[in-house]
Amino acid sequence: MLSAGLRDPVRPLAPAHDRPDAAARTLDGLFTRAARRHPLAPVVREGRHVLSYGRAELLSARLATALLRAEVQLGDPVVVHCEDHRQAVVAQLAVLKAGGVCVPAPRDLDAGQARRTAAVSGADTVLCGRATQRAWDHGGCRRSFLLDDPELWKRIAARPLDRALPRSAPTEPAYLLTAEEDPEGTSGHLADHRAWHLAMAARTAQIGPAGRTVTVAEHPTGPATLSAMWWAFASGSTLHARPGGLVAGLDGVVAVCETGEYARVLDALAAEPRPPRPRTVLLVGAPCPPELAARHAELLPATPLRAEFAPGRSVLPWAVSTYAAGQDPTAGAGPVVGAAPGVRLSVRGALGENLRTGQPGEVCARGRTLPFDVIGHRASPGRGGVLLRSGFAGRRNPDGGVELTGPRPAQAPRTR
């Protein structure tokens, strides 16, 4: 994989034009800064394979040049569907450098889901491997770049880098995060570079930098991996992919996991005679039940737990619950969450009205660290940005927190 580029000497890339302030506030600009500081540092470690910051920077610039030559325009969506974490990192960087919008696709996507993803995003280009290309044979994307094809890398290495790179900007879309929401079909949340940058910076401000290693066991474009990688890259850290599971090698590192998977991780830890002690555990996605937090405290009493509520396979957190080392969580009717930095939570009725304290409804949010638009789904616009709906029921407590009580109840169709 990436064999042609991996033989080249590592060298930092010169900027195509002088935009230091703007570049520092884009995701690919953040990565470029880390690559210039530590070009030989490992950015991805997956089994015996290691990819350095400098190599990823060079290969992604070459791939971005190939995308531009294939007439990918500013703001064009490009699907990223990879089995390999190194491929996925290079692919996402390339799309961002070219000024495109990353559309991450789950590894086990079938042909029907591929068609729906292409339809809701409007993408006609996919960056993938031989194993994942099959889903797109009739999936609506007319052009595929096979990232595990050595001939591709030989061809693009022979061409000079496009002088227009990078073409990203802080307020331009960076990701379209898709989710299938039965019975409402597939929807996509558009998030710009600035929202990602602010959300990751807020996490660092609250719990500190990522440290030397951030470990994930999820596929390359899942929510936990996406959340972990940009936080790691901001600190110049290594993303350690462990497809076999999180248990081995967790001593002293940060572990990032989807909330739904963490119960199984704790089961595996409980079976270990001497379980490892991660520095921090970060959960993303669904709400963290109080009993799960209590079990974490029992098995890993010295490890802080941070649970970020990001519904609908999103990545950017709506709300945050933190449990300090040694803290004993109290089980209740449901988890109580507080708004993440830059987010305003509300509880809404069936017609979109803002409900008072104690009244049950659907938990909604808007804010500068959240997606700025939703497509293929009915969202409510308003002052302060688009109103996002979580699909979870809840009620506001007198102290300002929001108690999540379960899935959204049946209600009338939503209107704008």
Side-chain angles (χ1 to χ4, degrees):
M1 193 285 267
L2 309 181
S3 57
L6 289 171
R7 291 194 295 269
D8 293 337
V10 176
R11 55 186 180 276
L13 299 177
H17 41 80
D18 186 17
R19 293 188 305 164
D21 294 336
R25 291 181 285 116
T26 63
L27 296 176
D28 52 298
L30 176 150
F31 188 93
T32 297
R33 183 171 56 185
R36 289 175 183 158
R37 289 177 176 173
H38 309 288
L40 298 178
V43 63
V44 178
R45 188 182 302 276
E46 188 169 13
R48 296 180 294 104
H49 305 290
V50 178
L51 178 67
S52 71
Y53 272 89
R55 185 70 66 226
E57 175 73 1
L58 176 61
L59 294 177
S60 61
R62 287 178 173 172
L63 184 56
T65 296
L67 291 176
L68 295 183
R69 291 181 179 275
E71 298 184 348
V72 170
Q73 304 293 317
L74 283 171
D76 279 358
V78 178
V79 174
V80 176
H81 190 195
C82 301
E83 280 198 320
D84 183 289
H85 286 76
R86 295 172 298 152
Q87 286 181 2
V89 167
V90 170
Q92 291 171 77
L93 284 169
V95 174
L96 298 177
K97 288 178 182 294
V101 181
C102 290
V103 185
R107 181 171 52 192
D108 56 354
L109 197 76
D110 60 33
Q113 292 170 318
R115 285 192 296 271
R116 291 189 289 274
T117 297
V120 76
S121 67
D124 63 2
T125 301
V126 57
L127 304 181
C128 58
R130 290 184 178 91
T132 54
Q133 184 190 26
R134 291 190 295 272
W136 302 96
D137 288 342
H138 305 286
C141 289
R142 62 182 178 85
R143 181 170 50 217
S144 298
F145 287 76
L146 293 179
L147 301 186
D148 49 8
D149 180 6
E151 293 301 317
L152 168 70
W153 294 100
K154 289 179 182 178
R155 290 195 302 271
I156 66 178
R159 294 181 177 272
L161 299 181
D162 195 295
R163 295 177 60 85
L165 296 175
R167 304 203 306 170
S168 55
T171 56
E172 294 299 321
Y175 278 86
L176 177 64
L177 302 169
T178 61
E180 296 210 345
E181 301 179 355
D182 186 54
E184 296 165 275
T186 302
S187 67
H189 288 203
L190 275 167
D192 58 27
H193 291 260
R194 180 177 53 185
W196 282 76
H197 191 279
L198 290 173
M200 297 302 102
R203 180 190 291 169
T204 298
Q206 290 182 330
I207 64 173
R212 295 181 62 182
T213 301
V214 179
T215 303
V216 295
E218 192 185 48
H219 68 82
T221 51
T225 301
L226 294 174
S227 181
M229 60 182 273
W230 289 115
W231 185 43
F233 299 164
S235 304
S237 306
T238 301
L239 180 71
H240 191 181
R242 303 188 65 91
L246 281 175
V247 176
L250 279 184
D251 274 323
V253 305
V254 175
V256 181
C257 180
E258 281 203 80
T259 304
E261 294 292 323
Y262 193 50
R264 287 186 281 274
V265 173
L266 290 177
D267 287 341
L269 286 173
E272 292 287 316
R274 297 182 62 185
R277 296 180 179 179
R279 181 169 69 87
T280 301
V281 172
L282 173 64
L283 305 182
V284 298
C288 177
E291 55 270 20
L292 182 63
R295 191 160 184 234
H296 166 91
E298 177 186 356
L299 292 174
L300 299 172
T303 301
L305 174 67
R306 177 182 174 91
E308 295 183 347
F309 174 50
R313 294 191 63 79
S314 184
V315 179
L316 304 176
W318 294 31
V320 176
S321 301
T322 57
Y323 306 92
Q327 180 179 344
D328 182 19
T330 301
V336 177
V337 298
V343 175
R344 294 190 297 278
L345 292 178
S346 60
V347 179
R348 304 273 172 160
L351 299 179
E353 72 276 19
N354 203 347
L355 301 178
R356 296 190 299 272
T357 297
Q359 290 183 302
E362 184 178 9
V363 178
C364 301
R366 59 162 53 100
R368 58 195 178 97
T369 59
L370 294 180
F372 66 87
D373 200 4
V374 180
I375 60 177
H377 179 75
R378 292 174 183 170
S380 301
R383 296 180 61 185
V386 66
L387 179 68
L388 304 175
R389 296 182 178 271
S390 69
F392 282 85
R395 61 174 65 89
R396 185 173 292 283
N397 290 341
D399 61 3
V402 173
E403 180 185 351
L404 302 173
T405 57
R408 183 184 68 231
Q411 57 185 33
R414 299 174 191 164
T415 58
R416 284 187 174 272

